[in-house]
Amino acid sequence: MAQGTAYAIADRQVDVETPEHVAIGYELADLGSRFTALLLDFVILTAVQLALVVGLLVTGALSGSQWGMGMGAALAVAAWFVMTWGYFVWFEGFRDGQTPGKRRLGIRVVHDGGFPVTTQGAAVRNLLRLVDIQPAPSWIVGGAFMMFHPLTKRVGDLAAGTVVVRDRSGEPIPEESAAGPGASLGPPRLSAEEFAALAMYVGRRAQLDPAVRTGLARKLMERVGHRFAEHPQRASTSPDAFLVLVHGEEGARRQAAGAGGRAGTAQATALVRRQRGEWKEYETLLRRAEGRGLKHLGEKSVSRFAALYRAVAADLARARTYGGSPALLYNLERSVGAGHNLLYRPEARSWASFRAWATGGFPALVRRRWRPILLASALFYLPALLVFGLVRAEPARARELVPAMMIARAEEAQAREARGEGYYEVPEVGMPLMATSLISNNVQVSFLAFAGGVLAGLGSVFVLVFNGVHLGSVAAVFANHGASLHLWTFVLPHGVIELTAICIAGGAGLWMGSALLLPGRRTRREVLVARGREAVSLIGGTALMLVAAGLIEGFVSPSELPRTTKLTLAAVFAAMLASYLLLAGRRQAAATRSPGEPPS
């Protein structure tokens, strides 16, 4: 089925059309609620991180061994990194677009068509926080975009094709009082002026800030509340909800009395009387499915839910035609929107799908996007070669490009060789901490290379060239001191994987950035979203590669293994990597390739 598509924006509301051709209105979240939710999430995240890190460090210390302390510190670094980057992606991607902070503020992330945010969409919008927070941590870039964009989007939302909306909650349906058995409408209780003021409030309340809405509801109750002192729901209902209820009832009374009320026609009342049994059944199934998902309802219940969803969507269209009250339309929109999100929610990721992506999907995507990856490799290695030649020809240039600590290490290289020491040695108990620290750093570099692509690729170019210049200058310094083999014995075992991953990450950023420069026949926004999803899939693969490289750099590269063993391992790792990227996934790609499509 096709998913919903946005078709109108008005008064802080975006309307989307479902595949059933029924419009649902979503109220856009304002800057204040989004900022408050973000602050609350950071408080929660930091508190959990600190508790977890302290717990791991204390557990390691209580072990009474240096190995235990090292493992505790390594796990603490890994936990901090995973939570920093995974908190928002996990909650938004797997909890229907709501972090704890967003849930508390009643807002959620959805895709532009109104359907639930995917894991890829959540990853794109949150990795691009690296751009939105600039100048770090001021959030000036993201704030400026949200202030001037009609849908209050930041850079991450633009690339992910997402929007943040208010989560709509149900309200009483006023026509039910007129549709109940033996119900008697009676004469209107409000004057024409009072009803006009009430109708104006109800018509505009969805666009009001919550604090403003609460204040206006209180003032309006002071004006008209005395007429409803005996109403059975007066004491148990908030002023805002009570006014909506009263508006529907008064509209029905005025309609029956021929007063020309704006809400609650006889046809809408008849619709409520006829369909409320199905609506109640639908709401029951909806509550069950929202808690555990549609798959837990069972095949028969899912079929019934889908049929009821279509029926309620049709009832919403009828209620609009009949001139139903705002509260009736609001409740039906909420019900249809919730059902839409459940039915069109992306299929949950499983370990089987992850394994298929890791073993075949990722390398196939690398081959399919070889052009931007090749360009990224050129932007990395050509500056490295140029700077290498420059520093070799003019050794004094090294002082301008290489840190003093690295120059000192090159000067000591031959002496270390004479003592039988390698480029860098780590005690065995410190290897786990070194591995996790290196993985965290390298993965963040790949995230930066990806995020920089949204700046028309310029950020990715900077990261690639900068790292290439650093590699070439360091290699030249060691070569000038006759210690090239000393350096490369350490670098190559993990470097064949790490440097390839950086080039793929840079290619992912360039591919996403190309949407702004070379969009083709589609709009830049459409192409940015499509290429952003592919780019973040490439970043996921490079993260796995960098985990492997970090483990090698932490446990193999600084070890006391003989030089020949390390270089042999480097050759083996290079062959395995080449086989993986060039051959893996070809069978799956051939099975899904369209006739005439070139192989990946």
Side-chain angles (χ1 to χ4, degrees):
M1 285 188 183
Q3 290 153 327
T5 54
Y7 77 91
I9 306 167
D11 294 331
R12 301 291 305 159
Q13 178 170 303
V14 56
D15 290 339
V16 300
E17 185 176 314
T18 72
E20 293 76 27
H21 304 293
V22 176
I24 306 173
Y26 288 95
E27 181 186 353
L28 294 173
D30 57 84
L31 278 173
S33 59
R34 292 181 66 175
F35 181 70
T36 304
L38 181 64
L39 284 181
L40 182 56
D41 279 322
F42 274 127
V43 169
I44 295 171
L45 174 60
T46 303
V48 174
Q49 283 178 312
L50 288 175
L52 187 58
V53 167
V54 170
L56 289 170
L57 292 176
V58 170
T59 302
L62 291 177
S63 69
S65 66
Q66 289 187 336
W67 178 260
M69 293 177 64
M71 283 300 298
L75 291 175
V77 170
W80 187 278
F81 174 80
V82 170
M83 292 193 68
T84 296
W85 290 103
Y87 175 90
F88 291 93
V89 175
W90 169 262
F91 279 108
E92 291 180 4
F94 293 94
R95 290 295 181 268
D96 289 337
Q98 283 191 313
T99 60
K102 288 184 175 68
R103 184 177 296 275
R104 180 67 181 82
L105 270 293
I107 60 178
R108 73 170 66 240
V109 182
V110 298
H111 275 298
D112 286 335
F115 56 95
V117 65
T118 62
T119 307
Q120 283 182 318
V124 171
R125 78 183 301 271
N126 285 294
L127 290 183
L128 287 180
R129 288 183 190 274
L130 285 168
V131 176
D132 283 307
I133 65 173
Q134 301 304 320
S138 66
W139 278 87
I140 289 178
V141 171
F145 267 86
M146 286 191 285
M147 287 177 63
F148 294 106
H149 194 278
L151 292 180
T152 322
K153 292 193 176 195
R154 58 179 177 84
V155 175
D157 290 314
L158 291 172
T162 54
V163 64
V164 183
V165 299
R166 287 200 173 279
D167 208 19
R168 308 190 74 170
S169 58
E171 297 181 1
I173 299 176
E175 282 88 346
E176 286 187 341
S177 61
S184 176
L185 295 179
R189 291 162 291 186
L190 297 178
S191 67
E193 293 76 11
E194 289 171 335
F195 182 75
L198 179 60
M200 182 178 296
Y201 168 78
V202 172
R204 298 289 298 176
R205 57 180 295 280
Q207 286 77 47
L208 297 176
D209 182 81
V212 175
R213 182 166 56 192
T214 300
L216 287 176
R218 189 180 299 112
K219 291 181 180 179
L220 195 53
M221 280 295 293
E222 292 174 358
R223 179 176 174 181
V224 303
H226 65 282
R227 300 187 184 277
F228 305 94
E230 303 301 324
H231 197 289
Q233 297 189 41
R234 169 71 184 273
S236 61
T237 310
S238 68
D240 175 65
F242 184 74
L243 288 172
V244 174
L245 176 63
V246 165
H247 175 262
E249 293 179 353
E250 281 297 291
R253 286 170 178 260
R254 297 173 72 81
Q255 180 72 23
R262 291 175 56 191
T265 66
Q267 287 177 304
T269 300
L271 176 67
V272 173
R273 182 184 297 112
R274 184 175 64 252
Q275 296 297 109
R276 60 184 170 185
E278 285 194 351
W279 295 351
K280 185 175 181 179
E281 182 185 359
Y282 172 75
E283 288 290 334
T284 300
L285 291 174
L286 182 63
R287 297 287 82 79
R288 287 172 53 193
E290 285 181 333
R292 302 182 62 188
L294 280 174
K295 64 181 180 180
H296 294 284
L297 291 181
E299 183 178 351
K300 184 176 180 181
S301 294
V302 170
S303 298
R304 179 59 177 164
F305 177 81
L308 288 171
Y309 164 76
R310 290 189 291 270
V312 175
D315 289 339
L316 171 58
R318 294 189 187 97
R320 286 202 178 102
T321 302
Y322 298 158
S325 69
L328 172 61
L329 299 180
Y330 187 92
N331 274 269
L332 289 175
E333 281 189 349
R334 179 198 61 80
S335 296
V336 173
H340 172 268
N341 285 357
L342 280 171
L343 287 171
Y344 298 101
R345 179 185 295 174
E347 183 180 356
R349 297 288 182 178
S350 64
W351 283 110
S353 60
F354 171 79
R355 185 169 59 250
W357 167 79
T359 57
F362 168 65
L365 183 58
V366 169
R367 294 192 296 272
R368 192 159 61 247
R369 299 302 169 218
W370 65 270
R371 290 180 178 84
I373 294 173
L374 181 61
L375 177 58
S377 302
L379 290 169
F380 180 78
Y381 286 110
L382 288 179
L385 293 173
L386 291 173
V387 172
F388 179 84
L390 176 64
V391 176
R392 286 285 283 164
E394 302 179 35
R397 294 274 188 181
R399 304 288 176 183
E400 303 172 8
L401 299 171
V402 182
M405 179 190 69
M406 192 64 69
I407 294 176
R409 183 169 290 177
E411 292 172 347
E412 297 170 0
Q414 291 189 353
R416 292 178 66 87
E417 285 279 339
R419 296 194 299 268
E421 299 175 356
Y423 169 83
Y424 187 73
E425 295 181 349
V426 179
E428 187 175 346
V429 296
M431 287 181 175
L433 177 59
M434 179 179 177
T436 54
S437 300
L438 290 168
I439 291 170
S440 300
N441 177 74
N442 292 337
V443 172
Q444 288 186 110
V445 170
S446 73
F447 288 170
L448 187 61
F450 160 74
V454 80
L455 305 174
L458 294 178
S460 302
V461 171
F462 174 80
V463 172
L464 291 165
V465 172
F466 177 84
N467 283 277
V469 168
H470 178 72
L471 176 65
S473 58
V474 169
V477 167
F478 276 82
N480 287 341
H481 289 84
S484 288
L485 199 56
H486 182 77
L487 171 69
W488 291 109
T489 299
F490 174 82
V491 171
L492 285 177
H494 64 271
V496 291
I497 301 176
E498 182 180 308
L499 299 181
T500 302
I502 290 175
C503 291
I504 294 175
L510 294 175
W511 178 239
M512 181 172 63
S514 69
L516 303 177
L517 301 175
L518 302 168
R521 296 182 179 181
R522 292 184 293 172
T523 66
R524 285 179 170 82
R525 181 184 64 82
E526 293 173 339
V527 177
L528 179 63
V529 172
R531 294 183 185 176
R533 291 173 183 170
E534 284 194 336
V536 83
S537 184
L538 289 172
I539 289 299
T542 61
L544 295 180
M545 292 173 62
L546 290 170
V547 168
L551 292 174
I552 296 170
E553 190 173 0
F555 290 95
V556 176
S557 297
S559 69
E560 297 180 357
L561 291 173
R563 173 173 291 168
T564 53
T565 302
K566 290 185 179 181
L567 293 178
T568 300
L569 286 174
V572 171
F573 294 149
M576 292 173 62
L577 178 63
S579 299
Y580 171 65
L581 294 178
L582 296 177
L583 301 177
R586 287 192 176 275
R587 182 176 300 176
Q588 298 95 311
T592 58
R593 191 165 56 242
S594 301
E597 182 182 347
S600 59

